[in-house]
Each structure stands twice: as structure tokens, then as C-alpha cells.
Amino acid sequence: MSKIKQRYIYANPLRFNPNTPIKLYAGDTTYVPGEGNTTQWTQIISDSFETYYCEWTGSFGDRAMSAEALGVKDSATIRMSYNPYIYEKLRTVKVVILKNADTTGIVEDKPDKNNPNVYELWGGVDNVKEGNLYMEFRVRRYEGL
């Protein structure tokens, strides 16, 4: 094995290429008497970072066919570095993901269901092998209510 390749393997223990910027927004739903449920969307900011980088892999083949059978037209798998704050948000509240950090995906403090860069968590989030190195989750296009 060449020294350059060997150096890369040890310098990058995550073994994926986080080259897609994303922004994350968490929905906090509260009940207001007389008005019903209201959802407030706030950007997830951790350690003063508001843009995160991930490896974005679109669905194709059997995965795309299985998703389509469930009514999902567009889905992807995201891998990103482990962040305990983001991990907890993904596990406990509704989160939308803006691919390419597209700030036009939030209109009047609500996710825009017509924007092709707005996705929502589909399924759960996995702290891969409980190693606290990276997490993986699937997303689908946001369809709103």
C-alpha cells in the first residue's frame, strides 16, 4: 500500500466523504387553547455551527422501488459526523433537512413543501455501532401537512 493511501486511511477514520452542506430545523409543537396545535421551526445550532456537512446518497434500484411502494417519491441516506445534540434532536422531535444549505427552503418560518431541497427524517437515526464517530439516517422529500 502506498504511503499516501495509507496516510489517508488513518487520517480519515470515518471512511466517507462529507461534501454536501445541510441545515437542520427542529419543529416544536405546542397546543394553544382555542387555536389548536402550532409548530415553531427553529434552526439547530450546535457549538455555533449552523451548517453541517454530510455524505448524501440518493436512493436507486431496489431501495427506490421499495420506497415508491410506500408512497415515497424521493429519498436519500445521509451519513455525517456524530454530534450528540443533533442526534438527540433527530431522535426526539420532528426535523427537516435542507439539502445544499438552501435557505429558501424555509418560508415564513415554515418548511416549503414545494422546494426540492427540503427533506424530513424517514425512520430513525443510527449511531453506527454505538461508536460515537458518525450517524446515519434516511430522509424523504418533505410533503408538509
Side-chain angles (χ1 to χ4, degrees), residues 78-138:
I78 294 177
R79 281 189 193 147
M80 64 185 287
S81 297
Y82 178 79
N83 180 314
Y85 181 71
I86 295 173
Y87 180 75
E88 190 60 29
K89 287 289 188 184
L90 288 168
R91 291 182 64 223
T92 58
V93 298
K94 186 170 182 134
V95 174
V96 294
I97 296 93
L98 304 181
K99 183 180 180 185
N100 297 323
D102 184 2
T103 55
T104 64
I106 300 293
V107 177
E108 296 177 8
D109 295 327
K110 293 181 183 174
D112 181 9
K113 67 180 180 178
N114 297 316
N115 187 315
N117 288 324
V118 179
Y119 289 79
E120 64 184 335
L121 185 65
W122 183 36
V125 58
D126 182 24
N127 175 5
V128 178
K129 297 183 181 178
E130 297 301 317
N132 296 342
L133 289 176
Y134 66 98
M135 51 191 177
E136 183 173 303
F137 51 97
R138 295 183 66 193

